[in-house]
Amino acid sequence: MTTLADLAELVRAPAALSVPGDVIAGAAAAGALSPRTPALAGASVLLYWAGMAANDWSDRHLDAVERPERPIPSGRITPAAAVGLAAGLTAAGVGLAAAVGGRRAAALAVPLAATIWGYDLLAKNTAAGPAVMAACRGLDVLLGASGGRVTRALPAAATVAAHTWTVTALSRREVTGADATLPMRTLAGTALVAVSAAVAAPGARRAAARTADQTGVRTNRTRSAGIAAVLPAVLAGWYAARYGAAQAEVVRDPSAGRVRAAVGAGITGLPALQGALTARGGAGLLGVAVAAAAPLGRRLARKVSPT
């Protein structure tokens, strides 16, 4: 009989902690943070879990050889149940996004769902795979921005997409191991991603200044503006340190085990990057809260693998 633990392993449940931050970062960048943002984040999680289930269904024959312990090849979940779950989660995710965000959210949720399935069924094992997966994350950020000025969230979407490209490129060598040039390229990409997230946008500094003006205290204004400028850099540095260190280990030892560890670090470390982008959008405290999911994700990953 299939258990909740089996389902959690199928959809990589702990890895979903890396998902809500996409929507929150997009909403912050677009000036669209609102009571509906948590519901859009929930829709994003449903679509992520759908993609994980569809991924294992698509890989069931390969996993029977390379990862026979996975839920489908081990017989704990049938292929029909996995693809049915993926379809149901997809419908639920798109439906929830449309219900809370209307046509603008649906206009992003539908192509996001299509891109997720396109990756799992068509692009994953092609040269286009990392780019398609990066597009999934970029669209996820824009989903959060759907209630505001979406164009303002494009830099945040591109930053998360670039990070996702590095993780996906590494993940293709989880079983075979990699040559040293791959982690060197992804490490360079991670450095660029961190730099792009580290500098507080002018809008964020203006928002902090406006907040301080409301208090009527110039000292508070200066302090708020300083925090707004520094916080994205602190969170981006945290992201770069954790994920970068794991990739540096792959450069030193490009074995399959090290590659898997780096992929896990990229997945569980993403909230720190999302937190930096959220703070960059002017929501500093919320950015810290988003980043706090990173250590929790690492702890849960010890129980259920995120890869």
Side-chain angles (χ1 to χ4, degrees):
M1 176 179 288
T2 299
T3 67
L4 286 177
D6 296 330
L7 293 174
E9 185 179 351
L10 178 73
V11 300
R12 280 69 150 190
L17 287 171
S18 73
V19 177
D22 286 345
V23 170
I24 294 170
L33 285 169
S34 72
R36 74 177 191 165
T37 301
L40 287 175
S44 176
V45 169
L46 292 172
L47 291 173
Y48 181 88
W49 281 341
M52 292 296 99
N55 176 79
D56 271 24
W57 177 81
S58 177
D59 278 354
R60 62 193 184 281
H61 300 303
L62 180 63
D63 283 346
V65 176
E66 295 183 346
R67 298 184 179 186
E69 73 281 0
R70 293 293 302 159
I72 296 176
S74 67
R76 288 176 287 142
I77 295 178
T78 67
V83 74
L85 178 64
L89 288 169
T90 299
V94 172
L96 178 58
V100 300
R103 292 181 179 178
R104 295 188 69 186
L108 286 160
V110 170
L112 171 56
T115 306
I116 289 170
W117 280 86
Y119 173 81
D120 286 332
L121 300 182
L122 300 173
K124 178 169 50 180
N125 296 318
T126 71
V132 175
M133 179 56 76
C136 291
R137 282 288 190 169
L139 286 168
D140 203 28
V141 174
L142 297 181
L143 176 62
S146 59
R149 296 175 58 184
V150 174
T151 55
R152 289 176 54 182
L154 289 174
T159 299
V160 172
H163 163 80
T164 304
W165 184 92
T166 68
V167 177
T168 308
L170 284 169
S171 71
R172 293 155 73 92
R173 298 292 181 267
E174 284 185 302
V175 175
T176 61
D179 60 80
T181 60
L182 175 60
M184 289 176 67
R185 291 197 303 270
T186 61
L187 186 56
T190 297
L192 292 175
V193 165
V195 170
S196 72
V199 180
R205 292 193 291 268
R206 287 195 296 268
R210 285 196 300 270
T211 300
D213 280 341
Q214 294 173 359
T215 69
V217 181
R218 184 173 297 275
T219 300
N220 286 346
R221 175 181 178 180
T222 302
R223 184 180 299 115
S224 297
I227 292 174
V230 171
L231 187 56
V234 171
L235 296 176
W238 180 22
Y239 152 79
R242 296 289 306 187
Y243 184 33
Q247 292 172 86
E249 285 296 312
V250 181
V251 174
R252 184 184 63 82
D253 173 16
S255 64
R258 292 292 186 186
V259 172
R260 284 194 296 273
V263 172
I267 294 171
T268 60
L270 178 55
L273 175 64
Q274 295 161 335
L277 293 169
T278 301
R280 190 178 189 273
L285 289 178
L286 185 56
V288 172
V290 169
L296 177 59
R298 285 195 297 272
R299 188 170 301 170
L300 291 176
R302 299 180 188 134
K303 300 181 180 294
V304 178
S305 172
T307 69

